[in-house]
Each structure stands twice: as C-alpha cells, then as structure tokens.
C-alpha cells in the first residue's frame, strides 16, 4: 500500500523541485577565496604547507617544473631525500591539483 502511494505521489510530480526554489539556490553565493593564477613549485609547496615548503630549492633544482612535479613518483622524491610524510603530502595534493579539487590560495593559511 505504501509503495502505491509513493509511486502515485511521484507520478504527479510532487517530488519535482518548484521553480521558486531553483531560483533561490541559483542566487546563493558565498565569498570566493582568491587563488593563484600562475602556479609554480614554490607556490604549490607553500599552498600545501605543513613543512613541505622547506624542500622548494631541492625540488626546483632537480625537477624544475610544476608539470614534472605532478607526474613525479614517490621513489624519485625519496632519492631526493624528502621524508615520507612530506612525500605523501606532495603526492596527495598533486593528485588533487590534477583532478581540479584543490588549488593553492593567494595568501598562506593561518595555523
């Protein structure tokens, strides 16, 4: 009996979203955070934070480019002498950056 009521309720279009609600959701916006447009290795590592920015010189001299850093594997980072915890953070944020889920902010995060 309950299934029949739910199916008939759904067929009548009662579960569809009213146009007024769609307009209210579309007009909702929050203050966006400023992001860095041009990202290099120093900006990327400063965006990650947590002590990873200490390896900027080493990575810039050995890897050189942000695109090469994004495809670098953990063994290469290990050979450069980067600790495990920092390697994990670099690889995690490199993947998020490639997928588009994360970008470095213009100003550093306050701890």
């Amino acid at each position: 009996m309950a299934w029949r009521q739910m199916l008939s309720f759904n067929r009548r279009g009662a579960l569809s979203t009213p146009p007024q609600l769609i307009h209210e959701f579309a007009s909702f916006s929050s203050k966006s955070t400023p992001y860095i447009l041009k990202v290099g290795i120093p900006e990327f590592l400063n965006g990650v934070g947590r002590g990873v920015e200490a390896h900027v010189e080493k990575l810039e001299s050995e890897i050189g480019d942000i695109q090469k850093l994004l495809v670098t594997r953990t063994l290469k980072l290990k050979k450069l002498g980067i600790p495990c915890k920092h390697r994990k953070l670099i690889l995690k944020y490199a993947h998020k950056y490639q997928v588009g889920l994360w970008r470095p902010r213009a100003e550093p995060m306050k701890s």
Side-chain angles (χ1 to χ4, degrees), residues 30-87:
S30 62
K31 187 176 181 181
S32 63
T33 57
Y35 292 106
I36 299 173
L37 297 177
K38 173 101 171 74
V39 178
I41 291 179
E43 294 85 9
F44 182 82
L45 295 180
N46 286 333
V48 172
R50 299 180 191 156
V52 177
E53 58 273 0
H55 307 290
V56 170
E57 297 85 18
K58 197 182 308 181
L59 289 174
E60 275 193 323
S61 65
E62 295 293 325
I63 294 176
D65 187 20
I66 186 70
Q67 294 304 320
K68 290 180 184 176
L69 178 65
L70 295 177
V71 295
T72 302
R73 302 206 177 203
T74 187
L75 191 60
K76 170 96 175 176
L77 295 175
K78 185 176 184 178
K79 286 180 182 177
L80 294 176
I82 297 174
C84 181
K85 193 171 269 193
H86 291 173
R87 288 195 307 264

Side-chain angles (χ1 to χ4, degrees), residues 5 12 17 21 23 25 34 36-37 42 64 72 86 89 94 106 110:
Q5 288 176 347
R12 283 185 273 161
T17 309
L21 259 170
H23 178 67
F25 286 131
I36 299 173
L37 297 177
T72 302
H86 291 173
L89 286 169
K110 295 179 178 139

